[in-house]
Amino acid sequence: MLLPVKLLIILKWIKEFFFLGGITGGIEICITFPTEFVKTQLQLDEGSSRRGEARQYNGVIDCVKKTVRTRGVAGLYRGLSVLLYGSIPKSAVR
């Protein structure tokens, strides 16, 4: 059974829409992830200082410098893949 042309056009549009939504969500996460990573590192560092341990970072810039020095630029993206696996499909559906 052949589908009507209008239905085929709509199905193609929906497929492209989901694909582009997923790509857009992935790009957004890749841009914002380093700031979230640094924020989380600073929050964890503050928690360890409350337990009496010495602080590892002296601020945002120090956290970025130390992370890049020890792990490279890719260190700012540690854990990104797990977030992408869930966020790309979520962005595609939105």
Side-chain angles (χ1 to χ4, degrees):
M1 177 171 123
L2 295 175
L3 294 173
V5 175
K6 283 188 174 185
L7 183 58
L8 289 174
I9 292 171
I10 291 171
L11 290 175
K12 182 181 177 192
W13 180 81
I14 289 173
K15 182 176 71 172
E16 290 174 1
F17 178 74
F18 283 130
F19 177 74
L20 293 175
I23 295 297
T24 304
I27 291 170
E28 174 200 3
I29 290 167
C30 289
I31 291 170
T32 60
F33 188 80
T35 57
E36 293 295 321
F37 176 81
V38 170
K39 179 191 75 158
T40 303
Q41 293 300 105
L42 291 172
Q43 288 173 336
L44 292 171
D45 194 37
E46 182 179 332
S48 65
S49 70
R50 289 183 182 168
R51 292 189 303 264
E53 300 172 12
R55 280 194 156 194
Q56 187 176 2
Y57 305 111
N58 294 322
V60 173
I61 302 298
D62 185 49
C63 181
V64 171
K65 284 181 181 178
K66 286 182 178 177
T67 302
V68 170
R69 190 178 307 129
T70 58
R71 300 178 186 269
V73 175
L76 293 172
Y77 290 92
R78 202 173 74 198
L80 174 68
S81 61
V82 174
L83 188 61
L84 285 175
Y85 291 142
S87 297
I88 288 177
K90 179 180 75 174
S91 298
V93 172
R94 283 187 181 177

